[in-house]
Amino acid sequence: MSWIKELDIGNALNEVIKNQRTGDDFIIDPLRFEDFKKPEIKKLFVEDISTELATYNAQKLLFIDYPKSNFILRPCARPLLKDLVVYQSVVKYIGFKVYRKIPKDISYSFNKFKDKFSKDQKRHIDHWLAFEERTIQLCKSYNYLLTSDIASFFEHICHDVLKERLLLLNTSDSYSNAVNFLINNLLCKWSQTDNIKNFSLPQGPDASRILADIYLYPVDKKMRENRKIIYFRYMDDIRLFAKNKHDLKLALIDLVKELRELKLNLNAKKTKIYETQDKESLKKVIDPKKSSLNLIDNAFKSKKEGGIRLVYDSLFEIYDLAKDDSIAFNERYMNFCISHVIDLMKFQMVEKAVVKNICIDFFNMLENRPHMTSKFCWFFQAAAQYDTNNKNFILKKIVEFLRDKKKNLYEWQELILFDTIRQLLKKGDIKFVRQIRKIKTKHYLTECQKRLILGREGDTDDIEQIINYIKTLSLNDEQKRNSAVAIQGLHKSHKEKIYDEHIDKSYIKKFVKSLKGNYFGFIYNLQKDRVDETVDAYPF
């Protein structure tokens, strides 16, 4: 298996950590990989994976329900840490072997992956903006536009079809071995506990997005052959243009048939045909505030105070729209405003009272916009550092929300809120620790967050309960790692005795013993977070 030697496990680990830190993964790691700060810890982890690859088999996925904007729950899953890193490294190896064959002007989302091998790397958002810009330009020269997306895309990706399609793209033995490893040792293992065997990719990991993009390649190739229409997409968000409705309908028939070959179907409710001259109806597709967003974004990218001050009022006009649930693009506007107001904090260009009022707005929205919780909490972190007077107010409101059984309904939202508490809570916040003890968590990853908080800030009884938890429960690697870190404050001889007796002989024991310090999780830093990274986040 010579291909295994070509895998870059270390780089895959770095990419996984970056995706988690920037919020690109639905299911956050309770420690946010803070325990990987030391190079020797990373090295130990990478070496452990490398020794197992020849006989590697994945463990069960982590699952959590994610609330969508209409309160419908979407099941999200990600692999355990070791599996996630292996998955990322194998998929990147496969993607590198085939990325030149994917048409650049069709899949705008796959261009993000192509950028990894380009000298002229763009922000991720630039590919989305290029997708939108092409839509706007084609509306000027074509009479009809069809928009659609694929129903439950990731859940309906068939492993057998994926394997077949991947093997058509490259014929080398090493590539074929990597594809077989991906299907047999990772994807099929993960689907064994599902109702539908050999289907679905875990949602969240960057590797899944890469595979999903490649999966649609035969559809892209077929649709490109039709010279009467223009077809392109961003992941499963599809655009079709034609001069007349007849050609557009015929192209839609072809698209439906091609997707069926891949066991996929279009989302009927989201499939719509627009006349491009009907500007009013196009507002549902083309953001009417796009020029304003671009103007604001360019001013912030310049990092010049004068230019930023010129667009200050325009930014808060967008914020007013973001608060209106009836506005079609309100979620995009909200993401945009959050990232740019955080930038204003970095430049010391926003009044503290304004920041406090936005925090109040977000707490009022938590109940009705649970899917936005991670963005709201990102803002809370920045606001607490911008004005330390905000910290206790934010902690108080979060704890009140979590203790309210009528409001605290979603396990994903609770996980994100606990992560925020862990980052904000400091020594001496005893009143909050007392209240946190009483909260019965909905998901074991949130329980890991709670134990990290109590392990760092709690008393002797809290530590004793964590030790009993370690002794009595059968834990997966994720729980072992977090539980072991939660008792880092104990005397070395005592905690290592617990590691030896209850954490078993897995890499976790060696791993945590090597920490030589207290690492209770990543803490967001307003000043260290680069401006050009934060403005990358607004469409998603």
Side-chain angles (χ1 to χ4, degrees):
M1 300 179 76
S2 59
W3 68 274
I4 286 179
K5 296 178 182 178
E6 297 183 50
L7 297 182
D8 192 340
I9 303 296
N11 183 260
L13 174 59
N14 291 338
E15 290 180 343
V16 165
I17 292 173
K18 181 180 178 182
N19 289 339
Q20 284 262 336
R21 293 279 176 88
T22 54
D24 287 342
D25 199 334
F26 283 109
I27 307 179
I28 61 172
D29 176 79
L31 283 163
R32 291 290 188 99
F33 303 108
E34 187 68 4
D35 42 338
F36 284 97
K37 257 187 172 181
K38 291 181 175 290
E40 56 267 34
I41 301 299
K42 283 188 178 181
K43 182 180 178 183
L44 178 64
F45 182 78
V46 170
E47 287 176 349
D48 194 76
I49 290 178
S50 300
T51 59
E52 296 181 12
L53 280 175
T55 57
Y56 197 89
N57 282 301
Q59 299 184 60
K60 292 181 180 179
L61 293 168
L62 301 172
F63 284 96
I64 198 165
D65 283 327
Y66 170 79
K68 298 178 72 172
S69 58
N70 57 0
F71 305 108
I72 294 294
L73 295 179
R74 180 172 76 181
C76 289
R78 77 158 170 85
L80 293 177
L81 179 56
K82 285 174 69 175
D83 294 345
L84 183 56
V85 173
V86 172
Y87 185 39
Q88 178 71 14
S89 61
V90 173
V91 170
K92 190 169 181 182
Y93 171 86
I94 290 170
F96 174 72
K97 299 294 184 181
V98 302
Y99 77 94
R100 291 185 178 89
K101 296 186 178 181
I102 309 298
K104 186 175 182 180
D105 60 341
I106 287 186
S107 174
Y108 282 77
S109 46
F110 195 71
N111 289 343
K112 295 191 297 184
F113 178 73
K114 287 184 174 182
D115 261 3
K116 296 179 186 295
F117 313 103
S118 170
K119 293 181 181 179
D120 183 26
Q121 294 192 7
K122 299 179 181 179
R123 299 177 304 163
H124 283 187
I125 188 177
D126 289 328
H127 299 297
W128 171 265
L129 294 176
F131 172 76
E132 282 202 319
E133 183 59 32
R134 191 176 183 197
T135 300
I136 292 170
Q137 294 304 316
L138 287 171
C139 282
K140 298 175 182 178
S141 52
Y142 284 82
N143 298 325
Y144 292 93
L145 160 65
L146 180 143
T147 65
S148 188
D149 67 18
I150 298 170
S152 303
F153 180 34
F154 283 81
E155 293 96 319
H156 288 100
I157 289 178
C158 173
H159 299 165
D160 291 338
V161 175
L162 176 62
K163 179 179 178 180
E164 175 188 329
R165 299 301 177 178
L166 287 174
L167 291 176
L168 287 173
L169 292 172
N170 190 298
T171 58
S172 72
D173 290 340
S174 60
Y175 174 85
S176 299
N177 289 335
V179 170
N180 286 322
F181 179 95
L182 169 70
I183 302 299
N184 300 328
N185 297 55
L186 298 175
L187 298 183
C188 287
K189 296 290 182 182
W190 290 330
S191 72
Q192 285 178 1
T193 56
D194 295 342
N195 293 327
I196 303 176
K197 307 298 181 187
N198 300 328
F199 275 82
S200 87
L201 299 177
Q203 289 194 48
D206 189 45
S208 292
R209 290 188 281 269
I210 296 168
L211 287 178
D213 236 322
I214 297 173
Y215 191 74
L216 290 178
Y217 166 68
V219 178
D220 300 340
K221 186 178 179 182
K222 179 66 177 179
M223 296 303 294
R224 197 183 197 187
E225 294 173 359
N226 187 339
R227 300 300 180 184
K228 294 183 179 181
I229 58 102
I230 299 291
Y231 160 92
F232 57 101
R233 62 180 177 83
Y234 190 97
M235 194 54 73
D236 64 331
D237 191 353
I238 295 169
R239 300 279 191 267
L240 281 172
F241 281 91
K243 296 285 187 181
N244 60 71
K245 191 179 286 189
H246 175 74
D247 289 339
L248 198 63
K249 288 179 178 179
L250 289 177
L252 178 59
I253 292 171
D254 289 339
L255 178 60
V256 169
K257 289 180 178 179
E258 288 302 314
L259 287 172
R260 282 178 183 166
E261 291 293 315
L262 298 179
K263 318 292 186 188
L264 299 173
N265 292 291
L266 289 178
N267 187 327
K269 291 183 179 180
K270 293 185 178 181
T271 302
K272 298 186 182 299
I273 293 177
Y274 299 90
E275 292 185 23
T276 57
Q277 299 307 309
D278 185 354
K279 303 302 180 184
E280 193 61 34
S281 66
L282 271 183
K283 287 181 179 179
K284 297 177 182 178
V285 181
I286 298 173
D287 186 351
K289 291 293 181 180
K290 187 177 185 300
S291 59
S292 295
L293 297 180
N294 288 345
L295 186 67
I296 296 167
D297 194 31
N298 289 332
F300 275 81
K301 281 195 293 185
S302 75
K303 303 181 185 179
K304 294 179 180 178
E305 183 174 335
I308 294 172
R309 290 200 181 279
L310 287 174
V311 299
Y312 185 95
D313 290 341
S314 297
L315 175 62
F316 283 94
E317 287 173 8
I318 298 294
Y319 179 63
D320 287 337
L321 294 174
K323 292 189 288 183
D324 188 344
D325 288 327
S326 67
I327 302 295
F329 293 92
N330 69 318
E331 186 175 331
R332 177 187 298 189
Y333 297 159
M334 184 61 75
N335 288 336
F336 182 90
C337 290
I338 287 172
S339 64
H340 286 75
V341 175
I342 288 175
D343 290 341
L344 287 176
M345 289 187 233
K346 293 171 188 172
F347 294 130
Q348 299 289 312
M349 291 177 62
V350 59
E351 293 180 10
K352 292 179 179 179
V354 171
V355 173
K356 177 72 173 288
N357 287 335
I358 293 175
C359 287
I360 294 170
D361 286 343
F362 290 169
F363 279 115
N364 290 334
M365 294 178 195
L366 269 178
E367 186 176 359
N368 291 324
R369 297 192 190 184
H371 63 294
M372 293 288 295
T373 300
S374 60
K375 298 295 184 182
F376 293 157
C377 285
W378 179 27
F379 189 88
F380 294 151
Q381 292 288 349
Q385 292 183 37
Y386 187 62
D387 181 1
T388 54
N389 293 324
N390 287 329
K391 184 175 75 69
N392 278 356
F393 164 74
I394 292 169
L395 279 170
K396 178 176 179 291
K397 297 295 286 185
I398 291 177
V399 171
E400 285 177 356
F401 185 92
L402 289 171
R403 295 189 67 187
D404 189 333
K405 294 182 180 179
K406 292 182 179 180
K407 294 181 178 178
N408 181 16
L409 303 177
Y410 305 105
E411 56 188 19
W412 178 84
Q413 185 178 46
E414 185 182 69
L415 173 63
I416 302 298
L417 291 171
F418 257 93
D419 179 68
T420 306
I421 290 175
R422 178 189 56 73
Q423 294 190 61
L424 291 179
L425 204 62
K426 303 298 180 186
K427 286 288 183 185
D429 292 330
I430 304 301
K431 63 180 179 180
F432 292 121
V433 173
R434 291 195 193 108
Q435 293 172 320
I436 290 164
R437 285 191 192 108
K438 298 176 184 178
I439 299 171
K440 187 175 181 181
T441 57
K442 295 175 170 53
H443 194 281
Y444 72 79
L445 286 181
T446 314
E447 186 65 22
C448 287
Q449 289 273 16
K450 179 179 175 181
R451 293 184 189 283
L452 287 170
I453 293 169
L454 296 177
R456 189 185 67 185
E457 310 296 344
D459 57 23
T460 304
D461 288 343
D462 294 319
I463 300 295
E464 191 64 38
Q465 285 188 20
I466 295 171
I467 292 172
N468 289 335
Y469 171 78
I470 294 172
K471 288 179 178 180
T472 57
L473 294 180
S474 175
L475 310 179
N476 64 28
D477 280 359
E478 206 91 356
Q479 290 166 299
K480 289 173 185 174
R481 172 170 157 256
N482 286 276
S483 300
V485 171
I487 59 170
Q488 279 284 289
L490 291 178
H491 186 273
K492 180 180 178 180
S493 61
H494 189 22
K495 70 182 178 185
E496 291 197 356
K497 182 175 184 293
I498 296 167
Y499 294 162
D500 289 337
E501 293 179 0
H502 302 289
I503 301 297
D504 77 30
K505 295 180 180 180
S506 71
Y507 82 98
I508 297 290
K509 184 169 68 176
K510 295 185 295 181
F511 180 67
V512 182
K513 272 188 173 183
S514 303
L515 282 176
K516 297 179 182 177
N518 296 333
Y519 295 87
F520 289 96
F522 166 73
I523 305 295
Y524 172 80
N525 188 307
L526 174 63
Q527 295 307 321
K528 286 185 179 179
D529 187 22
R530 297 206 325 267
V531 172
D532 57 344
E533 289 177 349
T534 60
V535 297
D536 195 27
Y538 74 80
F540 309 107

